[in-house]
Amino acid sequence: MSEQMPIQDLRAHLGHYIVGQAELVDRLLIGLLTGGHLLVEGLPGLAKTTAIKALAEGVHANFKRIQFTPDLLPADLLGNEVYHPETREFTFEPGPLFNEIVLADEINRAPAKVQSALLEAMAERQVTVAGHSRDLPELFLVMATQNPLEQSGTYPLPEAQMDRFMLHVSLDYPEREDEYDILKRTLDGTLGTNPVGEAKNITVDQVLAARESVRQVRCDEALQHWVVDVVAGTRKMGELDPDLADQVLVGASPRGALAWVQAARAAAYLEGRDYIVPDDLIKLAADALRHRIILGPRAMVSGLTRDAVIDRLLELIPAP
């Protein structure tokens, strides 16, 4: 794994920008190492945008931030055909999706047509404009943010689009010591500065090589069977626990199992291993599955959360 050192340098680089969000750093790297899209959900001020911008800077990738708003149009993402009177020809002007890392800020503020255009990019890694399909960069990665509380003027993301996110990362407020460190480093002017300089050795080609190594990480057959059992368990919670009958309307799709194992491969790679251990999967279970589960009205009334459903599943179907 000759690509380990640059990736670990990138991990250290992110640590200079993000305080007290170690899980967020790891999830960003997992997304980068697998090409899986990330949905980061959290309240304002939790460094969601800062983290993603720092990642793009550390990789020296082409980066674009798109602020999603209710008046956004598909062409604002995809680009458009522009007519040139002097030549009487149309030329394609690419939109911001033709970058390697795209930040979709407040993704749930855009209407259905925009989400449809983004879905094609996320699913097929191409966009279609004026009947012509155009490939996106090989590294292409969408990292989206949304605020879980402010729902005025928002549009719930379609389930098909939610399923295209590899991980749904839920952020909470930092611990007191971390919050103090943020304040102190901000006042000192040291937050967001790297004392050893930029991670100049991190290139897009190295990331793509690391992705190939991640694909070689082994997952034991017993773990594969366990993953399938857990994902299938989300679709038959009533059989596994009668108390949860009718509380889960829709369980995770088979894509959930694929995303879960791919993310665990990257987690193992970050730890310097070429094989997955049960802890790799357990730590990522909630992030890989929570956005693929739809709860029923009774669950909402009783206060049951998707994370609680996943925790119960892991109790009912223990890891090998």
Side-chain angles (χ1 to χ4, degrees):
M1 294 189 182
S2 59
E3 311 85 4
Q4 268 286 345
M5 186 59 69
I7 297 299
Q8 295 303 333
D9 287 345
L10 179 59
R11 199 181 208 171
H13 168 81
L14 293 175
H16 297 296
Y17 290 81
I18 308 163
V19 178
Q21 298 283 12
E23 284 192 1
L24 174 59
V25 171
D26 283 347
R27 284 6 176 216
L28 290 175
L29 292 174
I30 286 171
L32 185 69
L33 289 169
T34 58
H37 310 298
L38 300 185
L39 176 61
V40 183
E41 185 173 76
L43 297 170
L46 296 183
K48 301 185 296 294
T49 302
T50 299
I52 296 168
K53 289 175 69 175
L55 177 70
E57 178 185 315
V59 180
H60 301 289
N62 294 328
F63 169 76
K64 189 68 176 180
R65 174 182 179 270
I66 308 171
Q67 181 64 52
F68 278 54
T69 57
D71 60 348
L72 204 66
L73 298 173
D76 296 328
L77 272 64
L78 307 178
N80 217 333
E81 295 279 348
V82 177
Y83 180 69
H84 298 277
E86 62 277 8
T87 60
R88 297 184 180 180
E89 292 181 347
F90 285 92
T91 60
F92 178 67
E93 296 291 337
L97 281 186
F98 285 85
N99 283 276
E100 290 164 321
I101 297 179
V102 175
L103 168 58
D105 221 352
E106 296 188 281
I107 188 173
N108 56 337
R109 290 198 173 277
K113 283 187 177 180
V114 174
Q115 301 298 351
S116 176
L118 182 61
L119 177 59
E120 182 191 5
M122 294 172 63
E124 309 295 337
R125 298 185 183 273
Q126 67 174 29
V127 299
T128 302
V129 180
H132 297 286
S133 296
R134 294 175 170 85
D135 292 334
L136 295 169
E138 189 174 1
L139 186 73
F140 179 71
L141 184 62
V142 173
M143 296 187 175
T145 71
Q146 69 177 15
N147 180 345
L149 292 185
E150 189 178 355
Q151 298 304 315
S152 177
T154 63
Y155 302 81
L157 295 183
E159 283 74 17
Q161 187 170 1
M162 290 292 287
D163 202 34
R164 290 293 177 178
F165 286 104
M166 169 179 278
L167 299 177
H168 175 198
V169 185
S170 181
L171 298 183
D172 202 352
Y173 289 114
E175 299 293 332
R176 182 185 183 280
E177 287 304 312
D178 292 328
E179 196 163 355
Y180 168 75
D181 194 22
I182 293 170
L183 176 61
K184 184 177 185 300
R185 289 173 60 181
T186 300
L187 295 176
D188 292 344
T190 58
L191 185 65
T193 61
N194 189 339
V196 297
E198 291 186 15
K200 293 186 171 62
N201 294 326
I202 308 297
T203 66
V204 170
D205 287 342
Q206 286 173 313
V207 172
L208 295 175
R211 283 186 182 180
E212 188 57 39
S213 293
V214 167
R215 293 188 191 101
Q216 307 307 315
V217 173
R218 301 190 307 277
C219 182
D220 186 80
E221 191 171 342
L223 287 176
Q224 294 178 39
H225 283 294
W226 176 70
V227 165
V228 170
D229 288 342
V230 172
V231 172
T234 64
R235 304 191 286 267
K236 52 181 181 180
M237 286 302 301
E239 297 177 23
L240 296 170
D241 185 344
D243 291 338
L244 297 180
D246 301 324
Q247 299 211 43
V248 178
L249 293 182
V250 180
S253 70
R255 189 178 288 120
L258 295 173
W260 192 9
V261 172
Q262 288 169 354
R265 277 176 161 178
Y269 175 87
L270 288 172
E271 296 301 318
R273 285 183 275 105
D274 63 354
Y275 57 91
I276 294 173
V277 298
D279 278 353
D280 296 326
L281 289 160
I282 291 169
K283 287 188 294 187
L284 289 164
D287 288 355
L289 300 177
R290 69 161 63 93
H291 56 302
R292 307 177 199 275
I293 295 173
I294 300 176
L295 299 180
R298 196 159 69 89
M300 298 176 186
V301 171
S302 65
L304 181 71
T305 65
R306 292 172 295 177
D307 285 13
V309 170
I310 294 167
D311 289 342
R312 181 61 179 146
L313 261 178
L314 298 182
E315 291 175 9
L316 294 168
I317 311 175

